[in-house]
Amino acid sequence: MKGRIHSIESCGTVDGPGLRCVIFFQGCLLRCRYCHNPDTWNPKGGQPMDSAEIINKVLRFKPYFKHQGGITLSGGEPLLQPEFAVEILQGCQKAGVHTAIDTSGGVDRRALEKVLPFTDLLLLDIKALDSPLYQWITGKPQEPFALALEYIKASKVPLWLRYVVLPGINDSALHMQKLKKFVQALGNQVEKVELLPYHPLGVHKWQKLNLVYTLGHLNPPTEDATQRLYEEMQQSRIFSTA
């Protein structure tokens, strides 16, 4: 089966455990203000690739994965091409390769039903934990994420949660308390939480695409500020910084 791929990173180290082959899918419904890959938004962009071609490419790196590494489907939003994703995940699992998906969760539940049986780890991006802020950040309503979360909870798939820290926007004590409660509600399903410092490294892509970047006034949080947030969350045993 053919799908549309933006790019492939052969030796990723931040998108799941161990060394990862990261497949960046083309297409995304969200329009996150801090997105560093707006060139993945257009579902007709990227390049067509066959699932067998991708599996063969991944398997060439299998000796380097060892017991932790594997493949991560990222994007864009990989769950906009669920049948294509399933073929890749199935092929990798049959070959003994650990599988992970990095998703916003703002997708149709039917896509999750297709891919989660073949997913060893779900990296879930937490855009915001209240509807107005979610809409402001992503340009989309929060309801699809809330519905998807119900199925994700029922699936019991292991989770890594990822939260981009936007100074002065979502890093207050109130926001951190909401995040803590969110994590606690998911219980042991959550293996790790990453507090990802905002960065403007994708601004040049916005400019190239003639898009208006609205967070140019933000400075990335300092290492000390991120560490303080981490310390505030210490009561939630799984918090870590990236």
Side-chain angles (χ1 to χ4, degrees):
M1 174 181 286
K2 285 190 178 294
R4 300 201 72 85
I5 296 298
H6 173 268
S7 58
I8 296 177
E9 182 180 356
S10 57
C11 297
T13 58
V14 297
D15 295 297
L19 194 67
R20 316 292 299 183
C21 187
V22 186
I23 314 298
F24 293 92
F25 278 47
Q26 187 70 27
C28 187
L29 297 176
L30 304 186
R31 296 293 181 263
C32 297
R33 292 174 183 262
Y34 53 75
C35 181
H36 56 275
N37 285 321
D39 46 336
T40 66
W41 289 352
N42 184 358
K44 296 182 179 179
Q47 59 181 324
M49 290 189 71
D50 191 271
S51 56
E53 178 185 358
I54 293 174
I55 293 167
N56 289 335
K57 185 182 290 288
V58 171
L59 294 185
R60 290 203 296 269
F61 294 98
K62 187 179 178 183
Y64 302 98
F65 294 155
K66 300 183 179 178
H67 69 285
Q68 281 192 319
I71 183 176
T72 299
L73 306 187
S74 187
E77 175 52 70
L79 297 189
L80 292 184
Q81 302 181 65
E83 293 84 4
F84 182 51
V86 164
E87 286 207 358
I88 297 170
L89 296 170
Q90 279 185 305
C92 289
Q93 276 198 341
K94 287 179 181 178
V97 173
H98 181 275
T99 61
I101 292 179
D102 183 4
T103 178
S104 70
V107 296
D108 192 298
R109 171 178 171 150
R110 289 170 294 183
L112 289 165
E113 292 173 348
K114 291 175 181 177
V115 302
L116 287 192
F118 309 101
T119 305
D120 297 316
L121 174 69
L122 194 67
L123 283 63
L124 184 61
D125 301 323
I126 309 303
K127 305 298 183 182
L129 292 173
D130 62 73
S131 294
L133 185 57
Y134 188 99
Q135 177 93 38
W136 184 84
I137 288 175
T138 69
K140 300 292 181 179
Q142 192 180 32
E143 284 78 9
F145 173 80
L147 292 173
L149 185 63
E150 292 179 5
Y151 184 77
I152 290 169
K153 287 180 181 178
S155 75
K156 303 298 184 183
V157 61
L159 292 173
W160 283 17
L161 303 182
R162 313 180 106 178
Y163 186 85
V164 176
V165 177
L166 305 172
I169 296 175
N170 69 354
D171 60 344
S172 69
L174 178 60
H175 283 106
M176 290 298 101
Q177 185 65 20
K178 287 181 179 180
L179 180 59
K180 180 179 176 180
K181 289 181 177 179
F182 181 85
V183 175
Q184 290 174 334
L186 289 167
N188 293 333
Q189 190 173 355
V190 179
E191 294 184 346
K192 185 177 182 181
V193 175
E194 295 177 314
L195 302 178
L196 306 177
Y198 159 79
H199 66 73
L201 299 182
V203 172
H204 67 284
K205 295 183 180 181
W206 287 69
Q207 295 169 341
K208 186 176 180 180
L209 294 168
N210 294 317
L211 298 171
V212 178
Y213 191 78
T214 61
L215 296 182
H217 63 288
L218 281 189
N219 292 316
T222 64
E223 185 175 342
D224 287 345
T226 305
Q227 181 63 25
R228 283 196 297 273
L229 290 179
Y230 169 71
E231 290 171 356
E232 289 175 13
M233 305 304 300
Q234 280 296 311
Q235 294 179 23
S236 298
R237 55 180 172 76
I238 49 179
F239 271 79
S240 64
T241 53

